[in-house]
Amino acid sequence: MKNIVKLLLVAVCVISCSMQSKQGMPKKVYETIWMELTETDSGYVVYNYPDLEDDNFKTPQKIVLKGDSIIWITYSEMPIIDIFNSVQELADEEYFFPVGNHYKFEWSDKDKHIAKWTIYYGDERILSNRLYIDSVYNIYPVIDYKWFDDEVNNNW
């Protein structure tokens, strides 16, 4: 009976230590949900784009990083999911993710949690080069994007 109790205590300790070590692993600076920023005359905003086929569905353009996955979410296409095996540190807190579409992360304003994400086609042509903000720290308005104003629609 004492052996069973000791065995249970050891098992609980091992499981507990394993859970704490996973929780204690530091999160990488790029691991979060990044929302695309757009500069307007009155400052930055995050646009909530309507889906091209369903105006009821709206989403900001996002880059989501968690673990070894990058998900690029746009209003016009299905989310692009890339799995990376390695991350290259190019400079101090500047990272390159060599996957299907290559991704490069670099801080634009670390204090405001704004980073520039450059997305390349496999042959190094730039597909996107924009500013994103960590969604947890977003202080900018999230507004619904309108494709056309009423005047433009009435002139067609």
Side-chain angles (χ1 to χ4, degrees), residues 30-143:
Y30 48 76
E31 272 192 306
T32 192
I33 297 173
W34 296 93
M35 299 188 311
E36 183 182 273
L37 288 174
T38 302
E39 191 167 11
T40 66
D41 293 339
S42 57
Y44 287 116
V45 299
V46 174
Y47 280 127
N48 226 2
Y49 291 97
D51 184 79
L52 294 176
E53 295 179 13
D54 180 3
D55 283 343
N56 293 321
F57 178 75
K58 295 179 174 61
T59 184
Q61 299 221 124
K62 296 185 259 187
I63 296 175
V64 180
L65 268 95
K66 185 162 176 125
D68 63 352
S69 300
I70 298 177
I71 305 169
W72 186 26
I73 300 169
T74 70
Y75 61 87
S76 62
E77 298 178 15
M78 294 293 292
I80 297 168
I81 302 170
D82 285 309
I83 308 296
F84 55 90
N85 294 325
S86 65
V87 178
Q88 299 170 1
E89 188 166 359
L90 303 176
D92 186 37
E93 295 193 285
E94 183 177 324
Y95 301 94
F96 185 73
F97 303 83
V99 291
N101 288 315
H102 301 312
Y103 300 81
K104 180 181 170 191
F105 167 92
E106 59 187 296
W107 285 115
S108 176
D109 187 330
K110 189 173 181 178
D111 293 335
K112 293 182 180 177
H113 300 269
I114 297 173
K116 181 169 74 170
W117 280 93
T118 306
I119 303 171
Y120 303 87
Y121 281 119
D123 62 3
E124 303 305 319
R125 288 180 296 153
I126 294 176
L127 175 62
S128 177
N129 188 21
R130 301 186 184 255
L131 294 179
Y132 287 76
I133 188 162
D134 182 336
S135 61
V136 173
Y137 297 96
N138 182 37
I139 58 169
Y140 301 104
V142 177
I143 59 176

